[in-house]
Amino acid sequence: MPSAGDGVTTAFVLGGGGVLGAVEVGMLRALFERDVVPDLVLGTSVGALNGALVAQDPTAAVVPRLLELWRGASESGREVYGDRPLRTVRRAVSTGTHIYSSGPLTQRLREELGDVTFEELPVRFQVVAASIERAAEHWFTTGPVVDAVIASAAVPGLLPPAKVGEEHYLDGGIVNSIPLGRAVQLGATRVFVLQVGRIDRPLSVPKRPWEVARVSFEIARRHRFARELAELPDGVDCHVLPARGTSARDDTLFGTRDFRTVEERIDRTYDAGLAYLDEHL
């Protein structure tokens, strides 16, 4: 198996996808079981959450931690959102911008990661978010990891914009849902893309007002990834790992809280990942 010592820089690119991010745990389990370890980890939104734990512990030992995190979410749904329906309605009315508090997610991440900074991680790690004031893609590379992950995971309408320093941020998926190009820019020569399955699903013509926004967003993020994939320079070996157990229903607003099939998705994607790695490595 090639390693950084063989002149290969291996990157794990973890894309966004809300509850679908559970499938990335199955991919990570397969990668570590086949002795694939990262020199670089890049994360967007929920991929930033999964990636932060990997960057802190880039070994197979991180998989049980991730499984426990996602099992907790599947048992109550409150690991991430934490609020009762009436409280979410009141918050939506009072703020006009979001329906959930970022408090439960922040607390859970601090339990896992503490006050670790990017500089203290054993593996280079970067997180992307969308800066509101600059209307720009922003990469967090220094400072507290938890603050950066919360910024990257600030899903518009669900969670409030995250303030870090003097700026406010929204979900990184708005600007770079699967940051393949960033990995190449940073010198990766072997890239494993951990994506949640959306890029494989055909889009349908929207029939309702709220579907227009979703379809438009999907076109934008899929287009960027497809372009970056097509423009990979010679010498970069890219593997887009298969996701299993996701569907178009997961892309709806109600799907964002459906944690019931988390473990099934993880297991199915793990099996698919092993089969892929055994065929291609």
Side-chain angles (χ1 to χ4, degrees), residues 28-42:
L28 289 166
R29 180 183 170 193
L31 285 165
F32 285 124
E33 286 192 10
R34 291 299 180 261
D35 298 320
V36 181
V37 296
D39 305 299
L40 168 67
V41 178
L42 302 177

Side-chain angles (χ1 to χ4, degrees), residues 5 14 42 78 140 169 208:
L14 294 91
L42 302 177
R78 295 184 182 178
F140 289 94
Y169 298 91
R208 299 174 178 85

Side-chain angles (χ1 to χ4, degrees), residues 44-56:
T44 298
S45 196
V46 74
L49 186 157
N50 290 331
L53 270 68
V54 173
Q56 186 189 49

